[in-house]
Every structure is written in C-alpha cells, then in structure tokens.
Amino acid sequence: MFAEEWPLMMFTLICQLAVGSYILLVLVRSILAQKDAPSAKRLTSFGFLAVGPLMALALIFSLFHLGTPTGAYRSILNLGSSWLSREILTAGGFFVLWFVSYKAYQKETVGNGLGWLTSLVGLLVIFSMVNIYGTSVRPAWDNANTYIAFFGTTFALGSLGAASFIAYGAKGSALSPEILTILKKVSLIGIVAVIIQLIYLPVFISGLGSGVAASIASAQLLSGSYLFPLVVYGVLSLVGVGLLYYGLGKATNTKSIPVNVVYLALIMVVVGEFIGRYVFYASAVSVMIGQS
C-alpha cells in the first residue's frame, strides 16, 4: 500500500469511531433520560466530550491526505458533483454540531433533537465517504462491500467506544439493571455489525472472482496473501464484541461495569478493524486502460 494512503485510512477509521460512538451515546441518553435524567448526563457526558477530539484528529489526518493542507478549502467548491466536497462539508458540519450539542447536553433538561440531527449528519459523513470509493477505478471499492464495511465498522467501533466512555463515566459505581440492559443492547448492535461484515466477505470475494481482470486480481489477493490478515481481523473483531457482551452480562451480578474487560474488548475491535481496513486498501487493484 502506498504511504500516502495511511492518513486516509486513519481518517476513515477514527471518523467512524467518532460518529458511531456519538450515535450510540445519543441512543443511550435518549432511552435513559426518560427514567433517570441525572444518570443519563453523568454516564454520557465524558463520551460526548471525547467525540470532539476524536473527530478533530480524524480531520487532521484528512488534511494530510490532501497533499497541501493549506489549500484544503478549495476541496469544498464542487458540492454539486464531488463526493469529496460533500464529505468535507458533512464532516465539518458534524464537528460543529458536536460542539453545539455537547454544550447543550450539559443541561439536564435539554432534549435529544439536536443530538439526533448531529447523528444524521454523521451518517451523511459515512455515506459521502463510501460514495467516494464508489466512483473509483478499483472494482474492489466500487462494490456493496464498501457500504457494508464502512457502516459496519461505524457501529462496531461505535458500540465499543460508547460502552468504554460510559464505563469511564460510571467510575466503578453501581448501575441499575435498566442501565446494564441498555448497554447489553448496545453491545448487540456491535455484534450484528461485525457478523454482517463477515457473512458478506465470501460473497464479496466470490463476486470479484467473476469480474474484470482488476477484480479477479483483488480476489486472488484476498483469498491468497491477505487471507490470514482477514482471518485475524474477523477473529479479533468478533471476539472483541463478544467479550463486551459477556462482560456486561457478568455485570448484572455486581451492578458495576468490568472496566478492564470493556477496554480490552475495545482494543481488540480497534486492532481487528485496523487490519481489516488495511486489507481493504492494500487489496484494491486499479483498472488499467485497455484492461478487460
């Protein structure tokens, strides 16, 4: 993989972690605020704060990918025809709305309308991101797998990120059974997100094998030299989300979140998704002029 793609890879992963965590934190807060507004604020406050620096870091990586960061403003001038321009606009909009919603969420009485609006813009960031690859000359990217992989990673990392931020916010205190049940449902979202990605992988590789020369080359890479990294990605991600669910299940007896288990699960999924994203970039072969 070319060195200049590393910033882009980091941008996609960190952005998806930030967006996914934010969405699931809004979900937890929306459900919990109906019964216990003070706990909703206490448990999610740190998470909402942490999303901002994560998104800022992602945006910094995106600037390095542009080659000339000082000229980044010119990339937003083609909103009518460029998915890159739309990605930049929505990413910037998500960051601004994060700041406004974080300030609003410091008030216990504020509703969740702004949070859901910010979540919608976050999903538009991921949608714009995916469509950039949908217009590429790499068949492995111009594929439904990119939608599944990017949105799947958003919710897989988001479930672990939200759970980790909430675990930190809880600071080892006892939680009600209702809160633990909500967190278990969040972990189930992560499990489903990972399973869907893994189920579609064989379909994706098989489809590439019946395409043009470039897609066949990508299929050969995925079933050959990159097969082992793909297996490692699948195992780490699946075990990670499973570990989160198991840890939260054990917490029903102690009523406190096993912080170390949650953090370990986060690390496993982050590493797994990093490997999976590396393979995504490294295995994509470009269509050459005159190639069929």
Side-chain angles (χ1 to χ4, degrees):
M1 186 172 69
F2 296 110
E4 58 266 23
E5 290 181 342
W6 282 100
L8 181 58
M9 186 176 80
M10 297 305 298
F11 162 68
T12 62
L13 284 171
I14 298 174
C15 180
Q16 288 160 22
L17 170 61
V19 169
S21 297
Y22 185 93
I23 293 172
L24 292 179
L25 284 167
V26 171
L27 177 62
V28 170
R29 189 185 191 280
S30 298
I31 298 173
L32 188 57
Q34 298 175 4
K35 299 180 180 179
D36 189 352
S39 292
K41 177 183 177 182
R42 176 175 62 89
L43 293 174
T44 60
S45 183
F46 174 76
F48 283 124
L49 174 61
V51 165
L54 279 174
M55 193 63 193
L57 180 60
L59 292 172
I60 291 172
F61 274 113
S62 72
L63 291 177
F64 281 106
H65 175 68
L66 291 174
T68 54
T70 56
Y73 69 93
R74 291 193 293 269
S75 300
I76 203 172
L77 300 179
N78 299 307
L79 288 174
S81 59
S82 171
W83 281 107
L84 176 60
S85 295
R86 295 164 190 163
E87 178 193 63
I88 294 172
L89 177 65
T90 52
F94 176 78
F95 185 73
V96 172
L97 285 171
W98 157 79
F99 180 77
V100 176
S101 63
Y102 171 71
K103 289 297 184 182
Y105 273 151
Q106 297 310 295
K107 303 176 182 179
E108 293 181 9
T109 57
V110 73
N112 290 297
L114 182 57
W116 286 117
L117 174 62
T118 307
S119 299
L120 175 61
V121 174
L123 290 175
L124 290 176
V125 177
I126 309 303
F127 184 74
S128 299
M129 188 184 295
V130 171
N131 278 282
I132 292 174
Y133 296 93
T135 57
S136 73
V137 294
R138 294 174 169 85
W141 290 354
D142 184 10
N143 190 285
N145 181 71
T146 304
Y147 285 89
I148 294 172
F150 278 37
F151 279 101
T153 297
T154 298
F155 287 100
L157 290 178
S159 67
L160 271 297
S164 297
F165 295 144
I166 290 172
Y168 182 86
K171 294 180 172 59
S173 59
L175 301 177
S176 67
E178 291 81 8
I179 294 175
L180 291 173
T181 298
I182 293 170
L183 292 179
K184 285 183 70 176
K185 291 179 179 178
V186 167
S187 69
L188 282 175
I189 292 174
I191 290 174
V192 171
V194 170
I195 289 176
I196 290 175
Q197 293 183 73
L198 296 180
I199 288 176
Y200 190 74
L201 262 178
V203 179
F204 166 58
I205 297 173
S206 176
L208 288 176
S210 59
V212 299
S215 65
I216 294 173
S218 291
Q220 291 171 341
L221 287 171
L222 290 169
S223 58
S225 56
Y226 288 117
L227 179 59
F228 179 72
L230 272 181
V231 172
V232 174
Y233 142 70
V235 170
L236 284 175
S237 296
L238 193 57
V239 172
V241 292
L243 183 61
L244 174 64
Y245 184 81
Y246 171 79
L248 292 173
K250 297 288 286 186
T252 54
N253 296 325
T254 62
K255 295 186 179 180
S256 62
I257 302 175
V259 177
N260 292 336
V261 173
V262 174
Y263 292 166
L264 176 60
L266 173 65
I267 292 171
M268 293 181 71
V269 175
V270 167
V271 173
E273 294 294 338
F274 177 87
I275 294 172
R277 190 57 48 83
Y278 174 84
V279 173
F280 173 85
Y281 282 100
S283 62
V285 178
S286 298
V287 174
M288 305 300 292
I289 296 176
Q291 190 180 61
S292 61

